[in-house]
Amino acid sequence: MDISDKQFKRISDLIYDRAGIHLTDGKKNLVVGRLSKILQQMNFNSFDDYLDYVETDRSNQSLSIMINKLTTNHTYFWREKGHFDYFVDTVLPEIVKKKRERHENDLRIWCAGCSFGDEAYTLMMLIMEFFATEYPQWTAGLLATDISTDALSHAVQGLYPAERLRDLPQHLLRRYFKKTPDGSYQVSDQVRREIIFRRFNLMRDVFPFKKPFDVIFCRNVMIYFDKPTRDTLVRKFAHSTVKNGYLFIGHSESIGRNDETYRYVKPAVYQKN
Ligand SMILES: C[S@@+](CC[C@H](N)C(=O)[O-])C[C@H]1O[C@@H](n2cnc3c(N)ncnc32)[C@H](O)[C@@H]1O
């Protein structure tokens, strides 16, 4: 199906307004490719008819479907592995030491833009490994959010084809997954029940969390946003993070070394001032 410049602008304005995602002109073919099937299935003859429908659908369901189609959910276990080493060797010991000194036993971690759940499950396994037999004495559950309801429904199931787990250390695979008859792997219940998966749009003006997080992972998400959107989001993250808490972003992203809210620690890792 053909799309005019005006129709493409309507889509990119809508997706920018509702999801913060910046669709450049170069994404035109991708957008047509991803949305054409919906138009056919729903018997729309043009993008204008489809957009009129999306914009007036008060349930927001058709917008949600459109967002599901236009987000890029690529992810895999053990992605950017250096971050996990740093999390286990430096971040967790530092936070846990401080909490013990204050006689606290809760750990608050948010995986924002979790996609299919690979990153959130990896973090949860590492937290369990770190605490070992002491784990039950901690409140160390993890919040994992995404705007895509499709990605989240996969995440909740925790079922993955073997190739997604290629890079995961074998001992984690053995301990925290069960193999299904078709050769896929499912995350064990003990890990799945520790993660709360929720739909959450990072464009919300105000984040509703009652208590700030010790660590936020938001990796390979801001790459889809423009600079003003990234700057606003980083301020909201800072507001929702404890002093000296950590923000992990993707290695191809940056928040600027002079940001007043965070100081640079190492590539793609920042600490709240
Ligand atoms: C490429 S994935 C990153 C997954 C994982 N963090 C990683 O690094 O492998 C980007 C995710 O950001 C989500 N996303 C995009 N815009 C969002 C928004 N406004 N609010 C919440 N999530 C969003 C997408 O749905 C997608 O699942």
Side-chain angles (χ1 to χ4, degrees), residues 140-185:
L142 193 145
L143 174 68
T145 63
D146 203 282
I147 198 171
S148 163
T149 49
D150 277 355
L152 286 169
S153 51
H154 278 93
V156 168
Q157 283 184 34
L159 196 60
Y160 300 95
E163 71 259 20
R164 284 269 282 288
L165 298 154
R166 220 175 11 213
D167 298 335
L168 191 74
Q170 283 298 309
H171 70 280
L172 294 178
L173 187 66
R174 276 197 302 271
R175 202 165 302 164
Y176 296 105
F177 287 83
K178 43 186 190 254
K179 202 167 180 179
T180 62
D182 70 351
S184 304
Y185 287 84

Side-chain angles (χ1 to χ4, degrees), residues 18-21 67 71-76 79-80 111-116 119 145-148 151 200-203 218-221 223-225:
R18 304 301 176 88
I21 295 168
I67 289 174
T71 49
T72 299
N73 310 115
H74 176 68
T75 187
Y76 52 93
R79 183 179 194 180
E80 301 181 16
C111 183
C114 64
S115 187
F116 298 123
E119 182 179 57
T145 63
D146 203 282
I147 198 171
S148 163
F200 184 84
N201 186 350
L202 292 166
M203 295 305 112
C218 184
R219 305 189 311 160
N220 307 299
V221 178
I223 196 168
Y224 303 103
F225 303 156

Side-chain angles (χ1 to χ4, degrees), residues 79-80 83 119 216-223 247-255 266-270:
R79 183 179 194 180
E80 301 181 16
H83 274 168
E119 182 179 57
I216 297 177
F217 277 78
C218 184
R219 305 189 311 160
N220 307 299
V221 178
M222 286 194 273
I223 196 168
L247 173 66
F248 286 76
I249 62 175
H251 280 89
S252 56
E253 301 163 321
S254 91
I255 63 169
K266 69 197 293 286
V269 183
Y270 296 81

